[in-house]
Every structure is written in structure tokens, then in C-alpha cells.
Amino acid sequence: MTSKVTINRLATKVPGLDEILGGGLPEFSFNLIAGQPGCGKTTLAHQIMFALATPERPAIYFTVLGEPPLKMLRYQQQFEFFDTEAINTSIRFINLSDDAVVGDLDRVLKRIVDEVTRHSPALVFVDSFRSVVLASETDGNPHNSLQQFVQQLGMVMTSWQATTFLIGEYFTETDANPVFTVSDGLIWLRQSVQRNSMVRKMEIMKMRGQPTLAGLHTFRITDAGVEVFPPASVAISPPADPNAAPLAKRLSMGVPGLDEMLGGGLPCGYSLLVAGPSGSGKSILAAAFLAEGVRAGETGVIAAFEQSPSRSRSRVVADLIANGKVGLVENRADLSIDEVGYMLMQNIRRLGATRVVIDSLSGFELALAPTFREDFRESLSNLVITLASAGVTVLMTSELEDRYTDLRFSPYGTAFMTDAIIVQRYIEIDSRLRRVMAVVKVRASAHSDQLRAYSIDGDGIHIGEMLADQEGLLGGRPTTKLAAAGPGKRS
């Protein structure tokens, strides 16, 4: 029996890219990085090169017609991945403009072969390969010579055991092109402007010999370079035990009296929706939930979309973040659900976090780029399922318009996807607005059905007595009275 050939995978160290590639790039593969101008092709190529190149595994970067090396390096050295000491030791830049401008593909190929023979690189980059193609086109059929050129180039690089990258400007992947056929890997970058938002997406259209993560994956270009955001589900390791009893452990909420209302605390691994109008104390309840976890020896993560934790009323969350007990996913413009999920999972793994807060769903939706708001409900459901699979307990807050007589849980129709729901409301009693709270749902568990008054001060939330509608007037009329009553339960 013939044993299989082992193909080594090269870790690009581009955040998120190795995950969607299925573990990294196949060594000695022939790859194309394609997309329209300005989408980040050259930046991605440089980031991969600086991550992989070493004195033992050197790289050559051929530049063609697009821009001279000095100009390109002037801008690329602004990124954090750029290493000046690697130039002319691990990495060499060679300008092919004079050879390519003639339009003779044989001459370009000979120059590449000569340089590869001279320096024996393990990594070869040609940028922009599209410039070679355009310079070679004549009135005849350009693809005959082009196909031969690509095939010969691929054979040369394979024989030299070099991993090769062609960088090219292509506007559509539907064009018949021999490069697409010959290449082992095809990484396609897209970008679009929607309203005032720039949305960038990446697709691994082809990668021979290994499974890749299908679909479009959002990415962002920052000072650190390219960062790709695969679905948060790929970051789960190991997965939660599906046979574990979900109600075996209950978590304290950190608000006296609330655990009793929940039937003994919030079951570990559940998702909880706290819904209420502005000023009802949703964020304070979320802060208490995280702080109680820290007191119990746990760590947490908060995705803050309403306001910076530093402006929190009690500064509880800000102190927890400063002490490294709670991770922060900061609000920024033009987010995607995958980006938020990926950042959450990074913090969960970094801290070993067991409690997660999303504050709030309203702010979360507004932080998304317009194209991602259309699928917000479906994407949010997937995110909640992913977090539950990771074994964390999730608290989400949702802003509601309090109409006093209407009881609604969420404007997004998300109540069905959560395991528990707490509703906060205002009612009018004796010409004063009072806050009231109720546990609407705790899946597979008995819980209180009481409507309890509560107050907020510098020490947090204080739950008071149950409301009794002695005259059947609960719903906002001034004759409603308060009375103490015993606990009630329902399943």
C-alpha cells in the first residue's frame, strides 16, 4: 500500500486567515491573491511574507509596472508587521518593470528563473501579475502565450520547491483565465461602499488538498495589517459536552432577591435577555452579573455598545477591566456579526471567561455596517448558539419603548432564542413612576411569577416587595397600591 504524501501547512499568522484556510497554506503551492484595486492585496501579501520569511526560508518579491519597490515600501513599512531588518537578508525586492514593459513573457519568465536560481527562495511573490498580462496582450489571442507562461512558471516554482503567490487586479471571478485554472489556491478579496461604510470581504475560492471554510468572511485593515473574522464557531475548542446537565449549576446574579425569583439563580450556560426602557437599570444589572462572577472566582467579557465602561454609573465594570478580570470588546463603526463574535471568542479563550454580556442589542445593531443589519436576527441567533456551545452564560440587554400597558420583550423577535427573560417596566403609582421587574421565562425550570418593585442607588439594584393590584388597576393608573405577598412559582 502506498502511503500518502504529507503536505506541510504554513501558518500565515494573519489573524483569522489560517482558520478559514483550514490550518494554513499548503507548502510549495501556487496561489493567486486577486481582487479590485485598493482592497488590500499587496498588504495581505506583505503580511504573509514577513510572517513566513526567515534566513533559512528566504523570500523574493518581484514588482512589475504597478509601482517601484521604494514607493511601495514607503507605505508598507507603516504596518506593525513590517520588519526593516528582514530586508536584503530574509526578503529581497526585485523590480521587473524593464522586462515586463517590452511585453515579452519569455523574457519575464527568464528573469524570474535567473533570480530564483541565484537566490534559491522558498517564497516567491509577483506583484502585480496582472501588469504582466496586460503588457503581453496583442491584437491576437493573448491567452495562448499566457497559459503557457503560467504553466511554465508553476512548473519552475514547484521544481524549486517554492511557495508562490501571484497578486493581480481582477474585477470578476467569472472571467475565463488560465491563471485561475493553474493555481492551487485562489484568495479573492472584495470591497464595497454602502452609505458611508466600507465593507471588505474575503473568500477562499480554491485551495487544493485541504478543506477550507466556505463563504464570505469580513476583514479589516488596521495598523497591524489585515485581520480576518471567521465565524465565531471555529474558535470553539473543545466543544461543550452535549450530555452535560444544563441545570446542574446555577449562577448568582449579584442582586439580592433576584436569584430567588429565577428559581435559585441563572442556570449555567443559559442565555438571558434583560429587556426594559431607558433608565430602568439594565446596564447596572449586567455589571452586577459580571462582578458577582469575579467574586466567585470567574472571569467575564463585555461587548459594550451603549457607552464606554469608564462612564458606567458605578465604574464597577471599568475597575474589573482594569484589573484584568473582564475583557472588553469595544464599539467601533462598520462592524459585522462575525467580527464581534470573533473578538468575543478571543477574549473568552484568553481569560477562560464563563460570563458574557452584550450591552445592548439596540447599540449592537447600530454599530453594524448597513449590509449586516438585514440579517441581524439570524446572525444574532447563530452567535447565541455559538456562545452556548462554548459553555459560557450570556446576558443581553435590549432597549424597549415602555408604553405602560404593553408588555413586549424585544423589538427584534429575539425572545425565542433566549433561555431566560427578565422584563423591567415603569408604572405610575400615586403620581410617581416606579420601577418593577418580573421573570417572564426560565426554560425547563420553575421560577417566580411575581411583579416586584425595585430601586437603584449608588450600591446598585435593590428588589423590594411584590406588587398587588388590589383593585384590578395595574397598568399605570394612580390608584394602584403596593402590598406584600408570599412567593409564587410557575413552571
Side-chain angles (χ1 to χ4, degrees):
M1 181 180 292
T2 303
S3 61
K4 293 182 179 179
V5 175
T6 300
I7 299 178
N8 296 324
R9 296 180 182 179
L10 304 177
T12 68
K13 300 181 182 179
V14 177
L17 179 58
D18 292 328
E19 286 87 341
I20 68 174
L21 284 171
L25 284 164
E27 192 174 24
F28 312 140
S29 57
F30 193 73
N31 306 284
L32 175 63
I33 301 176
Q36 65 193 86
C39 64
K41 301 182 300 299
T42 297
T43 300
L44 177 62
H46 276 80
Q47 193 168 349
I48 293 173
M49 178 175 64
F50 277 97
L52 295 178
T54 64
E56 297 74 29
R57 187 171 58 196
I60 290 183
Y61 199 102
F62 293 102
T63 60
V64 187
L65 290 183
E67 55 185 352
L70 288 178
K71 180 181 178 182
M72 180 176 59
L73 292 177
R74 177 185 179 189
Y75 294 104
Q76 290 299 313
Q77 66 181 335
Q78 306 304 315
F79 291 105
E80 294 174 5
F81 61 75
F82 192 92
D83 182 6
T84 304
E85 295 182 357
I87 306 300
N88 294 328
T89 55
S90 301
I91 297 172
R92 294 180 182 275
F93 287 87
I94 297 175
N95 194 342
L96 294 181
S97 297
D98 292 340
D99 303 277
V101 73
V102 179
D104 186 346
L105 292 179
D106 291 336
R107 176 174 172 177
V108 174
L109 180 61
K110 184 178 183 304
R111 177 71 188 283
I112 292 176
V113 171
D114 289 345
E115 296 295 344
V116 169
T117 303
R118 181 178 298 112
H119 300 291
S120 300
L123 305 162
V124 174
F125 296 79
V126 182
D127 184 7
S128 153
F129 180 73
R130 179 69 168 171
S131 299
V132 177
V133 175
L134 293 176
S136 67
E137 290 183 350
T138 63
D139 294 335
N141 184 357
H143 292 303
N144 291 330
S145 58
L146 175 60
Q147 184 163 0
Q148 182 180 1
F149 171 80
V150 173
Q151 290 174 340
Q152 290 178 344
L153 180 62
M155 291 176 60
V156 169
M157 295 306 148
T158 302
S159 64
W160 276 99
Q161 293 190 325
T163 306
T164 308
F165 301 83
L166 309 182
I167 298 91
E169 294 179 352
Y170 295 92
F171 291 86
T172 173
E173 63 272 27
T174 59
D175 293 340
N177 196 303
V179 184
F180 300 165
T181 304
V182 174
S183 63
D184 301 312
L186 177 52
I187 303 175
W188 205 280
L189 277 57
R190 297 174 171 86
Q191 67 178 12
S192 61
V193 177
Q194 301 175 3
R195 297 183 184 177
N196 291 325
S197 301
M198 171 64 76
V199 178
R200 291 186 168 97
K201 297 183 180 181
M202 177 184 297
E203 181 180 9
I204 309 301
M205 299 186 64
K206 177 183 181 182
M207 193 59 63
R208 287 193 176 118
Q210 64 188 50
T212 59
L213 201 59
L216 297 174
H217 309 284
T218 56
F219 71 94
R220 186 182 291 269
I221 301 177
T222 67
D223 290 341
V226 172
E227 185 173 7
V228 188
F229 304 103
S233 57
V234 304
I236 300 177
S237 179
D241 182 1
N243 298 317
L247 301 182
K249 179 182 178 182
R250 289 183 180 256
L251 305 180
S252 176
M253 296 296 297
V255 176
L258 185 54
D259 292 343
E260 178 186 355
M261 294 177 66
L262 288 165
L266 183 64
C268 183
Y270 267 32
S271 56
L272 167 66
L273 176 66
V274 180
S278 178
S280 60
K282 301 182 297 297
S283 296
I284 295 176
L285 177 56
F289 174 71
L290 290 173
E292 182 64 21
V294 172
R295 279 191 289 270
E298 303 175 55
T299 52
V301 180
I302 181 170
F305 299 104
E306 286 291 325
Q307 62 178 5
S308 170
S310 62
R311 295 175 54 198
S312 176
R313 181 172 180 173
S314 63
R315 292 187 57 84
V316 171
V317 176
D319 291 340
L320 295 177
I321 293 172
N323 293 329
K325 301 298 183 180
V326 171
L328 173 64
V329 174
E330 296 183 271
N331 185 13
R332 51 175 129 165
D334 303 335
L335 289 166
S336 70
I337 291 278
D338 283 344
E339 184 172 356
V340 174
Y342 188 74
M343 290 188 290
L344 281 172
M345 292 307 303
Q346 280 186 316
N347 278 277
I348 289 170
R349 290 191 295 179
R350 178 176 62 86
L351 296 172
T354 55
R355 300 191 183 205
V356 170
V357 166
I358 300 176
D359 185 26
S360 69
L361 297 183
S362 311
F364 189 1
E365 184 187 31
L366 290 176
L368 297 177
T371 186
F372 300 114
R373 296 177 192 170
E374 300 174 2
D375 302 321
F376 180 67
R377 184 168 177 259
E378 178 183 354
S379 299
L380 180 63
S381 176
N382 292 334
L383 177 59
V384 171
I385 292 172
T386 296
L387 293 173
S389 299
V392 300
T393 306
V394 185
L395 185 153
M396 301 177 289
T397 68
S398 179
E399 183 77 16
L400 295 181
E401 177 186 355
D402 197 327
R403 298 184 181 180
Y404 296 95
T405 57
D406 293 347
L407 186 61
R408 298 184 304 153
F409 304 141
S410 170
Y412 307 101
T414 54
F416 79 94
M417 72 179 69
T418 58
D419 301 304
I421 299 174
I422 294 175
V423 171
Q424 300 172 335
R425 300 179 62 194
Y426 291 117
I427 64 171
E428 184 183 347
I429 301 177
D430 297 330
S431 300
R432 296 177 60 191
L433 285 179
R434 298 290 302 273
R435 297 182 178 96
V436 296
M437 180 186 302
V439 176
V440 176
K441 165 186 171 184
V442 180
R443 184 167 285 147
S445 173
H447 60 86
S448 171
D449 60 2
Q450 296 178 357
L451 193 64
R452 303 282 291 270
Y454 68 97
S455 60
I456 300 175
D457 61 20
D459 294 325
I461 295 176
H462 305 276
I463 297 179
E465 66 270 34
M466 184 185 78
L467 293 183
D469 188 11
Q470 295 178 342
E471 301 180 22
L473 297 173
L474 226 176
R477 299 189 182 181
T479 52
T480 301
K481 299 181 180 179
L482 288 172
K489 302 281 184 181
R490 70 185 177 102
S491 58

